[in-house]
Amino acid sequence: MPALPIFTFSCLLLTYLVWNGSPLLPYLNSRWSLYIGLAATVASGALTLSPRIHYRWRYDLFSFGCLLTWFAYWHQFFEIGAPVFSFYPVYFVLLSIFVTHFVIHKRSHLAADQIQLMRILYGFAGMRAPILVVLVLGSLLIPGHYLIYPIVMTLLLVRYAFAVCLEE
């Protein structure tokens, strides 16, 4: 199972819909899709108040909400066939698979110094979850700098992988 299953499978579905020019795309470009994405991101923030909800689901719900928000908001600035919409979801799927296979599933084979380095990077101020959340949400608002969103999402996914590895 990939690191963030809802997010990863949503990216796969979005890739399929964009590459095939599906008639469902106008629904994903609607205000409702934007509102659902924003509601999912707010819900993920609200779930941090509940200690019974595992952080994995909060990361997944936040990433899914950002994906919906990104697609619904950025279509105003880019055409559906633009490389931004064609390749970002593919990148996210590949990144999720890479992090799952080469980091999370290999955590039992990590040496003590690798774990220590992971702890240092995990504790770094720029890798704190609230800061990354603000950066991801901020990157959604600046489509003119279209590379910031995937970079910050990469950092968020790496932080998630570190959290899973250090949880043991």
Side-chain angles (χ1 to χ4, degrees), residues 53-168:
I53 304 296
H54 199 270
Y55 68 87
R56 293 177 183 188
W57 296 110
R58 295 189 304 249
Y59 273 91
D60 206 5
L61 186 61
F62 176 78
S63 300
F64 169 73
C66 286
L67 182 72
L68 274 180
T69 304
W70 164 76
F71 193 78
Y73 181 65
W74 282 27
H75 84 277
Q76 302 169 27
F77 306 99
F78 301 99
E79 295 180 18
I80 294 297
V84 169
F85 294 128
S86 298
F87 297 114
Y88 280 8
V90 174
Y91 168 73
F92 292 140
V93 168
L94 293 176
L95 179 66
S96 178
I97 291 170
F98 178 82
V99 164
T100 302
H101 182 70
F102 291 108
V103 179
I104 294 173
H105 287 164
K106 303 288 184 184
R107 67 183 173 218
S108 61
H109 303 300
L110 294 174
D113 58 340
Q114 292 172 322
I115 297 289
Q116 183 62 27
L117 179 61
M118 204 177 279
R119 284 187 202 286
I120 291 169
L121 292 174
Y122 185 77
F124 178 63
M127 289 288 283
R128 303 261 186 222
I131 291 173
L132 289 175
V133 164
V134 168
L135 289 175
V136 169
L137 293 175
S139 70
L140 292 175
L141 298 174
I142 49 175
H145 299 283
Y146 54 87
L147 289 177
I148 295 175
Y149 173 63
I151 289 170
V152 180
M153 280 300 294
T154 300
L155 290 174
L156 188 73
L157 197 57
V158 167
R159 185 186 198 292
Y160 168 76
F162 285 1
V164 171
C165 289
L166 296 173
E167 183 180 51
E168 290 185 322

